Amino acid sequence: MSFHHSQENQQKRWLELTIVLSVAFGEILYFQGLALTQGYIGGVISPRPSQELAGIIAQVTALLVLFYVGSHRNNFRHALGLYFRKQDWIDSLLLLILGYLIFFICNALFANVFSALLGGYPYWLTSHFELSTSFISFVFLSINPVFEELIVRGYLMREVAYLKKSWPLAILLSTAFQTSYHLYQGLVPMVSWFFVFLLFSVYFAEKKRITPLVLAHAYMDWIPSVLHLLNAS
């Protein structure tokens, strides 16, 4: 492959990466920035069914764009590690347990640190996120782990590692980007999630397998919602 052709290929992949991320997260980052500037961070967050439906449509659209981009490449699914093995059940459960352990330790630690620094615990340090128990909510919870892990973890990390020849940079960018759009949960949970996402990114860099991460992420989304449903019944 000539240098000129290689350069064109890299430019094309940068463009594809920009398009996929823009379609997937452009609106999310815009409204989160809006919420931040207008002081709507923290408190109780209860999205309406229409908002959940809009989220489903946006995520499915982004996944279609991702697979359209991948359809022009050989072994795209294999490069993401998007296939199933029996070991994936074990890995996903270990990631779930370790991820929750990291989150709760970090959440308690940073809550105390911020509370001490600020002399109290302002509402914007954390939030309570409540999805409804509707069918739309459960569809959203099923699609969201696939959406996030395939795009922010698998695709973004693979592209950065290829284009910049650096897996550590891929780990850092994926973790920072995924953390950035969780500010709506409040500052303390957002910082705590950073270390969970870091665990997930390191796992993908080492194993090149996205399926266990999708499963672990799904457990983390489903468990609180199932508990909420049981408490409501």
Side-chain angles (χ1 to χ4, degrees):
M1 182 183 292
S2 68
F3 173 77
H4 179 68
H5 185 72
S6 176
Q7 191 175 36
E8 283 186 347
N9 182 57
Q10 288 198 5
Q11 290 174 347
K12 180 184 177 184
R13 290 181 74 148
W14 276 119
L15 178 61
E16 290 173 342
L17 178 60
T18 302
I19 291 172
V20 170
L21 292 180
S22 297
V23 171
F25 299 102
E27 185 179 14
I28 296 173
L29 293 174
Y30 169 75
F31 282 109
Q32 183 158 275
L34 199 63
L36 178 63
T37 57
Q38 296 183 4
Y40 295 142
I41 302 298
V44 178
I45 302 172
S46 300
R48 296 186 299 273
S50 59
Q51 293 174 312
E52 294 169 359
L53 180 59
I56 292 170
I57 294 171
Q59 292 188 356
V60 169
T61 300
L63 287 169
L64 290 174
V65 172
L66 172 67
F67 281 105
Y68 174 75
V69 168
S71 68
H72 297 85
R73 302 182 191 176
N74 295 325
N75 300 319
F76 182 69
R77 277 182 54 241
H78 184 81
L80 295 179
L82 187 59
Y83 50 91
F84 183 76
R85 300 182 309 184
K86 290 182 180 179
Q87 180 66 28
D88 291 343
W89 291 118
I90 298 173
D91 284 7
S92 65
L93 290 173
L94 291 175
L95 287 164
L96 169 70
I97 294 168
L98 189 54
Y100 265 146
L101 185 63
I102 290 171
F103 178 80
F104 288 124
I105 290 174
C106 290
N107 202 62
L109 174 63
F110 289 119
N112 288 326
V113 168
F114 283 118
S115 183
L117 290 174
L118 298 172
Y121 201 81
Y123 75 94
W124 48 264
L125 280 181
T126 191
S127 66
H128 182 54
F129 191 71
E130 291 184 350
L131 285 174
S132 68
T133 56
S134 66
F135 175 73
I136 293 178
S137 292
F138 286 102
V139 172
F140 178 79
L141 288 173
S142 300
I143 295 174
N144 184 67
V146 181
F147 164 76
E148 283 199 58
E149 295 304 324
L150 259 62
I151 294 178
V152 182
R153 191 93 52 226
Y155 177 61
L156 176 58
M157 287 186 65
R158 273 290 187 183
E159 292 305 284
V160 172
Y162 171 81
L163 293 165
K164 302 302 291 184
K165 305 295 187 292
S166 173
W167 277 103
L169 179 61
I171 290 171
L172 178 61
L173 287 179
S174 172
T175 304
F177 186 78
Q178 190 172 25
T179 303
S180 70
Y181 58 81
H182 284 79
L183 181 58
Y184 69 92
Q185 295 187 16
L187 187 59
V188 169
M190 184 191 76
V191 176
S192 303
W193 281 123
F194 173 87
F195 294 95
V196 179
F197 298 151
L198 179 62
L199 166 70
F200 282 21
S201 296
V202 170
Y203 177 90
F204 183 77
E206 289 293 322
K207 300 291 188 178
K208 311 299 188 295
R209 305 266 309 130
I210 203 66
T211 305
L213 294 168
V214 172
L215 291 172
H217 193 143
Y219 304 152
M220 288 183 170
D221 282 356
W222 274 85
I223 289 173
S225 297
V226 170
L227 291 176
H228 175 67
L229 178 62
L230 292 175
N231 290 331
S233 61

